[in-house]
Amino acid sequence: MEELLQPRHPLDKHHQAQLQALQQLPEGQRAAMARLFRLGNATYRYQQLADGEVTEEDYRHWLEGLPERFRQAMEKGGFAGAKSSLALRRHALERRDVGYSAFMQAILSPEDWALEQQQRAAAGL
C-alpha cells in the first residue's frame, strides 16, 4: 500500500488513516482513491510552505485583487481572520515565486500531474 501513496501525507496519523482506508476498499477502487490522496497530499505540502510566512503586506496586496464583495468580507475578519485562508496562503507563496503549478508538477508523477491538469481545465482554472 505504501507505494500507492507517493507523495505521502507529511503527518503520520493522516498517512496511516489513508493506508487503512485503502486497505478497506475493494482492490478495484484503490488506485482511484490513492490518486485522490496523492493529489491532496501534494496540495497539503504546498500549503504548508506558507506556514508562518503570510504577512500583513501579503494580505493587503491580496485584498487589492479581490472582487469588491469578497474583499469586503475578507476585510471584516482582518489579517488575523484571513491568514489561514488557502487563497491568501497561495497568493503569498506565488508572490515569493513558489508557484502552485511548478510545485505540483515537481512532486507528482507524470500521470498524476496530467490528471491534475485535466481537472483544472474541466473546472475552467
Side-chain angles (χ1 to χ4, degrees), residues 1 4 21-36 38:
M1 289 295 154
L4 292 175
L22 290 177
Q23 288 170 344
Q24 293 175 353
L25 286 174
E27 192 164 334
Q29 296 176 6
R30 288 181 186 158
M33 181 58 77
R35 177 173 278 153
L36 292 176
R38 290 190 304 268

Side-chain angles (χ1 to χ4, degrees), residues 39-105:
L39 293 173
N41 293 345
T43 301
Y44 182 89
R45 287 175 175 266
Y46 176 76
Q47 290 290 336
Q48 290 308 107
L49 294 174
D51 244 4
E53 299 293 325
V54 178
T55 66
E56 287 194 52
E57 182 182 335
D58 292 327
Y59 170 69
R60 287 189 299 275
H61 187 264
W62 177 63
L63 287 175
E64 291 173 11
L66 296 178
E68 182 67 22
R69 292 181 72 193
F70 188 57
R71 181 185 54 76
Q72 290 172 349
M74 293 296 99
E75 286 177 327
K76 283 184 183 179
F79 173 63
K83 71 180 179 179
S84 63
S85 158
L86 296 180
L88 175 55
R89 292 165 69 97
R90 180 174 177 174
H91 178 82
L93 285 167
E94 290 185 352
R95 284 188 79 197
R96 291 167 186 74
D97 291 327
V98 182
Y100 177 80
S101 293
F103 179 86
M104 293 295 279
Q105 187 173 13

